[in-house]
Amino acid sequence: MASVMAGTKLSSSCTTCTANSRNPTQEEEEERDQISDDDLTPALSLAASAISLSLRFLSDGGRGGLGGDLLLLPSQTLKLDSSVQSAAMSLARILTLLRRSPQSLTLNSPSPAPPPTPRQSWFLRLLSSSPSLGDPRWPENFRMSKPSFYLLLQTLSPSLNSSPSAASSGVIAIPPEHKLGAALFRLAHGASFRAVARRFGLPSPDLACRAFYEVCKAVADQLGHLFELSSDLTRVLQGFHWMSLPNCCGALGFSRFCSSVIAQALVDSEGRFLDVSAGWRASMPPAEIIPRTKLHSSQAIVLACGPPLQLNGVGSSVPRYFLGGSCCPLLPWLLTPFSGADEPSGAAAVYNAVHARGMKLVHKAFVRLRARWQLLRGGWKEECAEALPFVIVSACLLHNYLIKCSEPVPDESDMEKEVADGFPAFEGKADKVGERIRCVLASHLSKLINP
């Protein structure tokens, strides 16, 4: 009985303590409910001032346009821009809930700067502060040096200069160098049109969008010759010859972009794109894509322009051909690796090893394409997806242009897994002529590498 009574008293004491500890919390809540909206004004004013200063920094660099935004990396600027815009939206939401207007706040800093014009934009300040041809900020922002940028501008300018009819219709004229810079920056960093407009002094995101696609069209129109399959086949053949792939004219591969489309690409031994066909549904297997491409219809003409190559030691010859992955059908002009239930051995194993080195060229080209142009790494809004194939082709042409200019490749170490698309192996019937050509080439490689 004693223990029971003690427990009862203890329980009663705990109940009293709990009740006493709850009352201050309720009082505090009631006191907080009585706080006037005006008591929040100092905190809201500080937040508004910080946002205002940040927007001014992003608009003109602060301090009369000589601020430190020119020293920030593109990734840092874009992250800051995104954070500031999110903070501004959150503050606007709070003011709406409090039924307050922004004018009711007392700012401790100047009001946000108006949208910059081309004459005061970050880009113009970069131009004025960058007399050196070796300024590292150019590759950081545009994936190319200043000389390469202006050489490209010279090539594209006829297509980028605003026409008199556009000016007379009230369309705002944007300097060609601003259009090119804005497009390359968006392509290189996946920046939003709003961020691009702010950085390059464009009046609105819509005009930034228009400039971007105008540049993409100019690249497709003026740089199409950089797909050099037909015009520079001798160089292509020589490059693969040094890889022990006689009479090879390219390596054919496939990659998915933004989970929505597939691109088919033919590359040479230096990683240049020789032919690109983009826009195929992500669900289509390569074996269904190949017959629908222009490469399929033109390969007979391109490859037949040269005679078969006599191979030493085997007494046979091989015609010109492309390499294709195991996801492709074996054809007389498209040689795939040996496959089957058993691991290939002997001449087949040697052939597969050399073939794999050739196919790595396609994988590497796609890796470098995404490393340079990060816009191709992210997702695309459904309403913009129709333009993605067009952008992919333009990016491939710019990739070739940068190789031609000997521009360095950005770090691609984090891209290897991202490009591993894993297309299923082709399970259809192999072409008999293709089988014979592959066996002849395998016999040649076996005698060449393991004499």
Side-chain angles (χ1 to χ4, degrees):
M1 288 293 294
S3 62
V4 173
M5 291 298 295
T8 302
K9 290 181 180 180
L10 179 61
S11 174
S12 176
S13 175
C14 288
T15 302
T16 303
C17 290
T18 302
N20 291 337
S21 64
R22 186 182 297 116
N23 287 335
T25 302
Q26 293 174 345
E27 292 174 359
E28 290 172 358
E29 290 178 352
E30 292 175 358
E31 184 178 348
R32 279 198 296 268
D33 291 340
Q34 295 174 358
I35 294 177
S36 170
D37 289 347
D38 292 336
D39 295 330
L40 297 174
T41 297
L44 294 176
S45 295
L46 285 174
S49 297
I51 293 171
S52 174
L53 286 172
S54 299
L55 288 173
R56 179 171 290 278
F57 177 82
L58 291 169
S59 297
D60 61 13
R63 293 184 295 169
L66 300 176
D69 64 331
L70 288 173
L71 303 178
L72 294 178
L73 293 174
S75 58
Q76 295 171 327
T77 300
L78 292 174
K79 185 176 294 186
L80 177 60
D81 181 88
S82 177
S83 298
V84 171
Q85 294 298 327
S86 296
M89 293 176 63
S90 298
L91 180 60
R93 176 62 176 163
I94 291 173
L95 292 176
T96 299
L97 293 174
L98 295 175
R99 298 179 182 179
R100 300 277 296 275
S101 65
Q103 289 75 19
S104 65
L105 301 179
T106 302
L107 298 182
N108 298 323
S109 63
S111 59
T117 66
R119 299 183 63 181
Q120 64 177 185
S121 66
W122 167 89
F123 181 59
L124 192 66
R125 289 184 285 113
L126 173 66
L127 296 181
S128 62
S129 67
S130 177
S132 171
L133 296 180
D135 189 334
R137 291 176 295 182
W138 286 83
E140 288 171 356
N141 285 282
F142 309 114
R143 300 296 188 240
M144 62 185 70
S145 63
K146 189 174 182 179
S148 295
F149 180 93
Y150 277 96
L151 180 61
L152 181 60
L153 178 64
Q154 183 180 358
T155 303
L156 302 183
S157 282
S159 300
L160 298 181
N161 283 312
S162 300
S163 63
S165 59
S168 62
S169 63
V171 177
I172 298 175
I174 301 172
E177 61 270 23
H178 282 69
K179 291 180 182 178
L180 180 58
L184 291 177
F185 186 83
R186 171 168 164 77
L187 194 58
H189 304 287
S192 67
F193 288 123
R194 176 186 52 75
V196 169
R198 182 187 300 280
R199 201 167 179 81
F200 290 85
L202 307 182
S204 70
D206 287 344
L207 283 177
C209 176
R210 184 181 303 171
F212 175 73
Y213 288 112
E214 188 176 340
V215 170
C216 287
K217 184 179 186 305
V219 167
D221 292 343
Q222 303 296 330
L223 299 184
H225 63 278
L226 294 181
F227 288 153
E228 299 174 342
L229 176 59
S230 301
S231 62
D232 204 7
L233 201 53
T234 301
R235 177 190 61 78
V236 175
L237 286 163
Q238 187 63 38
F240 282 103
H241 174 77
W242 288 111
M243 295 181 65
S244 301
L245 286 165
N247 237 15
C248 180
C249 297
L252 187 71
F254 300 82
S255 187
R256 293 186 180 89
F257 286 86
C258 307
S259 303
S260 58
V261 303
I262 293 176
Q264 172 189 286
L266 185 74
V267 305
D268 67 9
S269 60
E270 299 177 60
R272 287 183 176 90
F273 291 99
L274 302 174
D275 181 272
V276 177
S277 178
W280 305 100
R281 295 193 313 274
S283 59
M284 290 183 68
E288 291 183 12
I289 294 174
I290 292 172
R292 293 173 166 84
T293 62
K294 290 184 179 179
L295 180 66
H296 183 274
S297 58
S298 65
Q299 54 79 24
I301 300 174
V302 173
L303 300 182
C305 65
L309 180 66
Q310 191 72 27
L311 300 178
N312 296 329
V314 296
S316 299
S317 62
V318 293
R320 291 180 173 178
Y321 59 89
F322 301 136
L323 297 179
S326 58
C327 60
C328 301
L330 175 62
L331 301 169
W333 56 273
L334 186 61
L335 302 187
T336 60
F338 286 96
S339 61
D342 299 325
E343 186 71 20
S345 59
V350 173
Y351 167 88
N352 275 10
V354 177
H355 185 283
R357 289 204 302 269
M359 290 306 298
K360 282 183 179 179
L361 297 169
V362 191
H363 175 80
K364 200 72 171 178
F366 280 128
V367 166
R368 290 181 172 179
L369 185 73
R370 285 179 170 86
R372 276 188 166 124
W373 310 122
Q374 295 184 24
L375 182 64
L376 301 180
R377 298 175 63 175
W380 279 58
K381 294 181 180 179
E382 187 174 349
E383 59 269 23
C384 302
E386 290 184 2
L388 178 56
F390 178 61
V391 175
I392 293 172
V393 172
S394 299
C396 291
L397 287 169
L398 288 169
H399 170 91
N400 286 5
Y401 173 78
L402 295 180
I403 292 177
K404 205 174 189 70
C405 294
S406 301
E407 292 289 345
V409 180
D411 180 28
E412 56 197 63
S413 58
D414 63 333
M415 296 293 299
E416 294 289 339
K417 293 182 180 179
E418 185 175 331
V419 186
D421 292 298
F423 291 97
F426 176 71
E427 297 180 353
K429 188 176 180 180
D431 181 271
K432 294 298 182 182
V433 177
E435 286 183 333
R436 181 188 64 78
I437 295 172
R438 183 172 64 178
C439 287
V440 169
L441 184 58
S443 178
H444 165 75
L445 293 175
S446 179
K447 288 178 170 48
L448 180 68
I449 297 175
N450 296 320

